Amino acid sequence: MDFGSRRSLRFVPAALAAGLLCSLGLQAQPVGGDPIAVSYAQTYRVPVSEAQRRMARVPAIAQLEQRLQRELPEAFAGLYIEHLPSYRVVVRFTKTPKALLARYTKDPVFVAQLAPRPLELLRGAQEELAAQLSSSGVAFESGVDVKASQVNLFVLDTATAAKRLSGLMAVADYIKLHKVPALMTPTAIVGGNQVDGSTQRCTTGFNVFNATRELGVITAGHCDNALTYIGSPNATLAFQSEQNGGSLDLQWNKQSGGTPQEQSNQIKLVGGPQATMDITSQTTSANLPLGTTVCKMGITTNYTCGEVADKNAQAMYAGSVGTYIRVHNASNQVMTAAGDSGGPVFGTNTAYGLVHGRGGTGTPTHNDLYFMPVDHFSAIGVTLLKEKFALTSIPNVSGPHNVSFQAQVFFQGVPKFPVQRKTKIVSCAMGWTCSDYNGTYTTSSTSPLTFNYKCNVTGSNPTSTFVWSTTLVGADGVATNAIQHTSTCTSTTVAGAAKAGGEGGAPSITIEP
């Protein structure tokens, strides 16, 4: 593919509708599957049901980790999930490990180990070395190795780093210094000549919306700010805001002009066990224990999976110290490469974050994925889109003749306004005049939307019930499912009222607006 010959950024999709702006016409696949469990089963040669059972343990493991960090900061030395030769969770303490673990769980999957120092001490040392090196302008990358109970420091110039950290390293012999030929780098392709700011190729992440419920797509902050989404058809994106430095690497864009395109809550899985997956939740970094299975999608390396190897991977990024999560594949497969930046990182139906970069060339982490957790989406004022636009209910209602009474239309998702309501008559009461009625909601609103019925009657008329079918259609052309609902006009006598209804005085039911 020739990138230099195009004047616009090739902003190729990582997600269908939720990480995409439009449908790509993929072959239909089962919705709601578990591609993460399938990938885990293939990697560790266990049945999918066993993979799902193991993965279902992760929330409880994360809760235990958080509790130990909070209640035993001087003794807790970290925990991690082991997948081979058997599945277990190793929990480390600086003293009486079996006794301390027994206070919190009797589950045999948890195994206690003795460690030389607490996790809190390692993190404190890591923060101190980051502060000293960044203030001296020394480029570095660091990580916490819970298994070895040490802090690994990677630098281009060991002599300079050792000199700057001489005092700290004299009292912290668990800081291990490593010389490397390169450091962690973002994974965008730098093209030929810069044209209208379009120098990089990136991947879309997830669909998001802001406080005013405007829909958009999120990607890496280090990608260009003038983007063209390459799809069917292409779409020009309008940059909204970004944070690009330290622990933050994200931006979001809205569609700008052209034919409005669908935005939903699915991501595309090229090369995965299924074509797409719904994203219905998000999981913060605190709930990702070491060893958690993580997958990502990128336009270069497509669908890849690995395990969380370090939740405290630090490096200088855009002038500030940043902390990212590092993911390693058990077979040392390349997890991410140039062009994958901004792509979605996820578990089963849940968003974990965005692709930031990979390890430096020639380093042990060169094939690893570094990602920015979903915790930081709020830094640019956006929220993950977790539901597709659909109707959930329209309660049946009733009201007296010649008086307006309200109906409510409950929906999920974030539709693009203005939204059109199409209400069709399914069953009209005998002797009444009925019609289809459409309405338009111009102002962005949360659920429910409303409209009013009115039963136009002269004199006495029996109670009558009507059956309707309603659909909502967003400004992007996305239509919801149809829901049938009823309205009942209750019997009443109105003396001297003006004649209502159609020709011949037949009563009528109307909808406003």
Side-chain angles (χ1 to χ4, degrees):
M1 190 176 294
D2 180 10
F3 303 107
S5 64
R6 301 190 62 90
R7 287 184 57 83
S8 62
L9 174 74
R10 293 194 58 80
F11 196 66
V12 182
L16 177 65
L20 292 188
L21 292 172
C22 66
S23 170
L24 298 182
L26 292 170
Q27 182 180 357
Q29 295 286 333
V31 175
D34 195 345
I36 316 303
V38 172
S39 297
Y40 183 101
Q42 293 171 343
T43 299
Y44 295 108
R45 300 183 182 279
V46 297
V48 172
S49 59
E50 172 61 15
Q52 291 175 319
R53 187 187 71 83
R54 294 181 182 185
M55 290 165 59
R57 284 182 170 271
V58 171
I61 296 170
Q63 290 178 5
L64 175 62
E65 179 181 39
Q66 293 171 52
R67 187 179 175 191
L68 292 171
Q69 287 176 343
R70 183 174 62 253
E71 298 178 10
L72 299 174
E74 296 182 358
F76 179 56
L79 64 73
Y80 55 91
I81 302 170
E82 279 190 349
H83 304 277
L84 291 174
S86 61
Y87 182 83
R88 66 177 189 168
V89 182
V90 178
V91 189
R92 312 190 81 209
F93 299 93
T94 59
K95 60 182 180 181
T96 59
K98 290 184 179 180
L100 287 177
L101 181 61
R103 286 166 48 182
Y104 290 86
T105 180
K106 305 295 185 183
D107 189 336
V109 78
F110 293 94
V111 178
Q113 277 189 0
L114 186 66
R117 56 192 63 88
L119 180 60
E120 186 176 70
L121 180 65
L122 299 178
R123 289 178 174 171
Q126 184 188 34
E127 293 297 328
E128 181 59 29
L129 72 83
Q132 292 188 23
L133 292 180
S134 61
S135 65
S136 302
V138 177
F140 73 95
E141 180 182 340
S142 69
V144 173
D145 186 341
V146 170
K147 296 179 182 180
S149 196
Q150 67 186 33
V151 177
N152 289 316
L153 174 61
F154 306 95
V155 294
L156 305 175
D157 182 351
T158 53
T160 300
K163 181 178 180 180
R164 295 288 187 271
L165 297 175
S166 57
L168 178 61
M169 295 184 70
V171 297
D173 60 357
Y174 47 85
I175 298 177
K176 304 302 179 183
L177 190 59
H178 307 273
K179 180 179 177 60
V180 292
L183 298 172
M184 178 177 63
T185 57
T187 50
I189 291 177
V190 178
N193 295 327
Q194 181 172 337
V195 180
D196 297 334
S198 299
T199 63
Q200 295 175 330
R201 183 189 188 206
C202 290
T203 302
T204 51
F206 303 97
N207 273 118
V208 294
F209 61 95
N210 67 358
T212 58
R213 300 179 67 79
E214 294 180 285
L215 288 163
V217 66
I218 198 167
T219 189
H222 68 261
C223 298
D224 289 342
N225 294 345
L227 306 176
T228 297
Y229 173 80
I230 305 301
S232 302
N234 294 352
T236 300
L237 303 182
F239 172 80
Q240 298 301 298
S241 65
E242 73 176 4
Q243 291 284 342
N244 188 31
S247 299
L248 302 176
D249 182 13
L250 70 169
Q251 65 167 283
W252 79 287
N253 298 262
K254 296 190 303 181
Q255 184 178 350
S256 176
T259 303
Q261 298 185 42
E262 178 181 359
Q263 299 186 56
S264 183
N265 64 322
Q266 287 184 323
I267 57 174
K268 178 183 173 185
L269 308 179
V270 176
Q274 62 192 54
T276 66
M277 182 175 67
D278 289 343
I279 295 296
T280 57
S281 66
Q282 63 183 45
T283 302
T284 62
S285 57
N287 293 295
L288 295 175
L290 295 180
T292 302
T293 297
V294 169
C295 297
K296 80 98 191 45
M297 172 62 204
I299 58 173
T300 302
T301 57
N302 298 330
Y303 173 84
T304 59
C305 299
E307 286 72 48
V308 173
D310 191 352
K311 295 170 63 174
N312 299 278
Q314 288 192 339
M316 290 292 293
Y317 175 60
S320 301
V321 177
T323 301
Y324 292 84
I325 297 177
R326 180 170 63 85
V327 178
H328 177 76
N329 176 269
S331 301
N332 202 30
Q333 175 188 359
V334 173
M335 283 291 300
T336 184
D340 292 338
S341 283
V345 181
F346 49 87
T348 301
N349 303 115
T350 185
Y352 290 159
L354 301 176
V355 174
H356 169 66
R358 68 182 299 180
T361 303
T363 69
T365 64
H366 180 54
N367 291 342
D368 293 355
L369 159 71
Y370 291 76
F371 77 90
M372 187 208 72
V374 71
D375 314 37
H376 299 312
F377 282 16
S378 60
I380 55 173
V382 298
T383 300
L384 180 74
L385 182 65
K386 294 176 281 190
E387 296 177 319
K388 66 179 180 180
F389 180 33
L391 291 180
T392 55
S393 68
I394 304 177
N396 299 331
V397 294
S398 62
H401 295 165
N402 300 308
V403 176
S404 295
F405 56 98
Q406 188 179 83
Q408 294 179 306
V409 181
F410 290 89
F411 65 89
Q412 67 177 26
V414 181
K416 186 173 180 61
F417 282 80
V419 168
Q420 186 179 31
R421 188 198 71 250
K422 296 184 177 181
T423 301
K424 298 180 179 297
I425 186 67
V426 175
S427 177
C428 185
M430 184 177 296
W432 286 68
T433 298
C434 306
S435 300
D436 296 342
Y437 287 93
N438 296 335
T440 300
Y441 304 93
T442 58
T443 303
S444 181
S445 174
T446 57
S447 178
L449 302 174
T450 63
F451 63 89
N452 294 322
Y453 291 106
K454 189 172 183 181
C455 307
N456 306 296
V457 175
T458 298
S460 179
N461 219 286
T463 295
S464 300
T465 297
F466 309 82
V467 181
W468 308 85
S469 177
T470 291
T471 303
L472 296 180
V473 182
D476 52 7
V478 177
T480 67
N481 52 308
I483 286 185
Q484 285 197 359
H485 52 103
T486 68
S487 62
T488 299
C489 300
T490 56
S491 178
T492 175
T493 299
V494 182
K499 195 172 186 178
E503 184 178 340
S508 67
I509 182 168
T510 55
I511 292 178
E512 303 169 345

